Amino acid sequence: EAGVAQSPRYKIIEKRQSVAFWCNPISGHATLYWYQQILGQGPKLLIQFQNNGVVDDSQLPKDRFSAERLKGVDSTLKIQPAKLEDSAVYLCASSLGGAGGYTFGSGTRLTVV
Amino acid sequence: QQQVKQSPQSLIVQKGGISIINCAYENTAFDYFPWYQQFPGKGPALLIAIRPDVSEKKEGRFTISFNKSAKQFSLHIMDSQPGDSATYFCAAPIRALTFGSGTRLQVQP
C-alpha cells in the first residue's frame, strides 16, 4: 500500500512569514495526526483528527498554528507567523484507530531564519 | 510533565552484541506499549509492541520485556547489526501517542 505522503520535504522561511504543509494519509485511515519533532527530541503531538473532526488539539499553539482536514482525507498544517523556535520536522501520521500502529510520512523539515 | 522516560540517550554497541533500551512510564492504565525505529530523514516506523497482559514478546532479533510492577518496559536487540543503527523511541498511548526522548543507537562493525 502507498505510504503517507507529505510535501514539501524541505522549507526555509524567514521569521514572521507563513508556511503550509500538506499531508495525504493512507487510504482508508480515518485518523490523522500532525506531530512536531524538534532536533534531538521525540515527536510531540500537535493535533489529531478523526475523519473531519478534531479529537485533540490541546498542544497546538493556536495563536499561530492552524490545521484542517477537508473531506476527511488530505490535511494541511499552517504556521502564521513563524518563529525561530518553530524550526523542526513536521510529521504527519495516519492510523486505522484503536491500538494499531501509526504510519508516519517522511516529514517536512522547516527552518526558520 | 514527562510521562514516558527513556534511557540511555545514546548507545554504542559492537556488531553482534546486545542493545538494551529502557523506558519507564507513570500511568498504569495503558493497553499497549510500542517501540518505534527512526532512520535519518525518515519518519518513525513501528518496530514492535506489547500488551501489558504479557511479560515478553519476541519478533526476530527484537524482544520487548515488560515489568508492570516496576512500570518499565525495555527493548532488547540481539545480535545487533550496523543496519540497526537508528534512533529508537518508546511510546505510550497518551494524547494519541506520547513518545520518549529517543535513544540513538550506533552499531559498530
Side-chain angles (χ1 to χ4, degrees):
Chain A
E1 63 180 359
V4 174
Q6 288 190 248
S7 66
R9 287 285 282 128
Y10 305 93
K11 191 74 176 178
I12 300 175
I13 62 172
E14 295 183 349
K15 60 183 179 184
R16 291 188 290 274
Q17 285 187 326
S18 62
V19 64
F21 314 125
W22 173 81
C23 173
N24 181 241
I26 290 176
S27 178
H29 280 194
T31 310
L32 183 146
Y33 316 83
W34 283 100
Y35 278 82
Q36 179 193 58
Q37 186 174 24
I38 294 172
L39 185 65
Q41 299 183 18
K44 173 187 170 184
L45 179 71
L46 292 175
I47 189 167
Q48 176 186 353
F49 290 95
Q50 178 75 23
N51 296 311
N52 289 346
V54 175
V55 175
D56 184 352
D57 64 356
S58 58
Q59 300 185 111
L60 185 74
K62 299 181 187 64
D63 58 334
R64 297 183 302 106
F65 287 64
S66 64
E68 61 181 5
R69 189 181 185 195
L70 298 177
K71 300 180 181 179
V73 182
D74 293 7
S75 178
T76 56
L77 176 70
K78 297 179 181 178
I79 307 176
Q80 182 178 13
K83 293 185 176 181
L84 295 176
E85 59 261 37
D86 298 332
S87 294
V89 175
Y90 290 84
L91 295 162
C92 178
S94 68
S95 75
L96 286 170
Y102 293 12
T103 302
F104 282 85
S106 293
T108 296
R109 180 176 296 277
L110 173 67
T111 303
V112 182
V113 298
Chain B
Q1 181 182 6
Q2 190 176 3
Q3 304 216 31
V4 182
K5 296 182 181 180
Q6 185 174 343
S7 63
Q9 188 174 10
S10 63
L11 184 61
I12 299 175
V13 173
Q14 295 296 314
K15 179 182 176 182
I18 302 173
S19 305
I20 301 174
I21 304 170
N22 299 302
C23 197
Y25 63 96
E26 298 177 359
N27 190 309
T28 59
F30 301 146
D31 57 359
Y32 78 109
F33 297 88
W35 284 91
Y36 279 76
Q37 179 189 54
Q38 185 176 31
F39 292 104
K42 300 292 186 182
L46 179 64
L47 184 64
I48 186 172
I50 193 170
R51 295 194 176 275
D53 56 346
V54 298
S55 60
E56 186 174 283
K57 181 177 181 180
K58 184 176 181 179
E59 289 185 359
R61 296 184 294 108
F62 300 91
T63 299
I64 298 181
S65 297
F66 182 72
N67 186 330
K68 189 173 183 177
S69 61
K71 297 184 182 180
Q72 292 181 342
F73 59 112
S74 60
L75 175 68
H76 295 232
I77 306 174
M78 312 300 288
D79 187 26
S80 298
Q81 299 297 311
D84 297 331
S85 297
T87 301
Y88 293 81
F89 295 96
C90 62
I94 318 165
R95 297 198 185 284
L97 274 183
T98 294
F99 288 82
S101 53
T103 297
R104 186 172 180 179
L105 171 65
Q106 186 177 349
V107 181
Q108 294 184 334

